[in-house]
Amino acid sequence: MDGKNFIAYLSLTASVMLWAGSFIAMRIAVAVIPPGLVVWLRMALTVVLLVPAYRLFIPRDYRIGDWKILIPTVLLQPCLYFLFESRALMLTTASQAGVISATVPVLVALGALLFMGEPMALRQWIGLILSVAGVAGLTIAAVGTESEAANPLLGNLLEFIAMLAGAGNMLLVKHLSGRYNTWTLTAYQTVAGFLFFLPAARLLPAVPLEAWSGAVIVSLLFLGVFVTFGAFGLYNFGLSKVPAARASIFINLIPVITAFLGWLVLNESLSPLQMIFAGLVIIAVRIGTGGRRIVRPAAA
């Protein structure tokens, strides 16, 4: 890993660690609060935090017509991404969804190659393929502990649509990051999510008082303060500094870190086979982010 991109890789690593922690926090919160309301609450907390930083919403180099790119960017993620994934997880298992989520780096790599002219060296392709294989093995190894899916075909289709939305968002953020502050883009995403999931706020009065335990409140604060703005912002920053395909490989670290945190915090089982596949993903990310990159100007 070259020193020039060390800060970018550090930001990407921090972002996926926060995202991994969000799965633990979400499991704690959705056990007593409807999922849609949890998503809105985390967005609402972040919006409150952004009020003093209102200058983030002022773009430094807006060009006429940029709204045609900005709107799809924030619509794809968090809006459509969370909408389709939350529905998918009601119909399919987390293991199957985890395998499908491993397609994000592949989709981003292909999109960056086709639409942005970002080439990938052989070692990047090897790292990408190994990371996908590692995530697939990690999640399939856990399938025996899950209940039967209600409608896996539809659920897996919805999860793939969510992945398409996530990959599309990453490519658009990469395109905009040359002129826009990545924290500004993150602020736009947060406000868009707040407005999109606002209808879920009607469920708030129905939540019983005893549901607001210390663990739930801490989980919501973690999601709103550190994940919704922090994780997205750190990832967008890292994405702006390195090729999109290379940054997307870090996404496959999320199930690895989540599995470890589930074992550490929730006492979930972690088999030796899962540990092997987790190690494969870590090695794959190291391979995929090493070496020298072919320099070629990105398409306008």
Side-chain angles (χ1 to χ4, degrees), residues 24 34-35 63 71 180 291 300:
I24 307 301
R63 296 178 185 174
I71 290 179
Y180 283 79

Side-chain angles (χ1 to χ4, degrees), residues 51-69:
V51 171
Y54 66 91
R55 292 189 179 182
L56 279 178
F57 294 92
I58 304 173
R60 69 186 184 194
D61 191 17
Y62 179 85
R63 296 178 185 174
I64 296 176
D66 274 1
W67 63 271
K68 297 178 182 179
I69 305 176

Side-chain angles (χ1 to χ4, degrees), residues 131-247:
S131 71
V132 171
V135 171
L138 179 68
T139 50
I140 291 173
V143 74
T145 64
E146 299 186 356
S147 59
E148 186 178 355
N151 190 340
L153 182 61
L154 178 58
N156 291 343
L157 175 61
L158 293 176
E159 179 69 11
F160 184 67
I161 294 175
M163 296 308 105
L164 287 173
N169 169 267
M170 291 178 191
L171 292 172
L172 290 176
V173 167
K174 178 66 175 178
H175 176 75
L176 291 168
S177 63
R179 293 187 289 108
Y180 283 79
N181 184 315
T182 52
W183 294 99
T184 295
L185 296 175
T186 306
Y188 291 164
Q189 287 178 286
T190 301
V191 173
F194 170 80
L195 295 175
F196 188 83
F197 290 100
L198 184 59
R202 73 184 188 279
L203 302 175
L204 189 58
V207 179
L209 185 61
E210 59 268 21
W212 303 99
S213 65
V216 169
I217 293 174
V218 170
S219 296
L220 289 172
L221 287 174
F222 174 75
L223 290 168
V225 177
F226 294 100
V227 180
T228 302
F229 188 68
F232 275 99
L234 287 169
Y235 189 85
N236 288 344
F237 172 79
L239 180 62
S240 71
K241 303 299 181 182
V242 300
R246 190 178 294 192

Side-chain angles (χ1 to χ4, degrees), residues 24-47:
I24 307 301
M26 280 290 288
R27 287 195 62 179
I28 294 173
V30 301
V32 292
I33 299 176
L37 180 57
V38 172
V39 174
W40 180 77
L41 285 171
R42 62 187 285 187
M43 298 291 175
L45 284 170
T46 309
V47 168

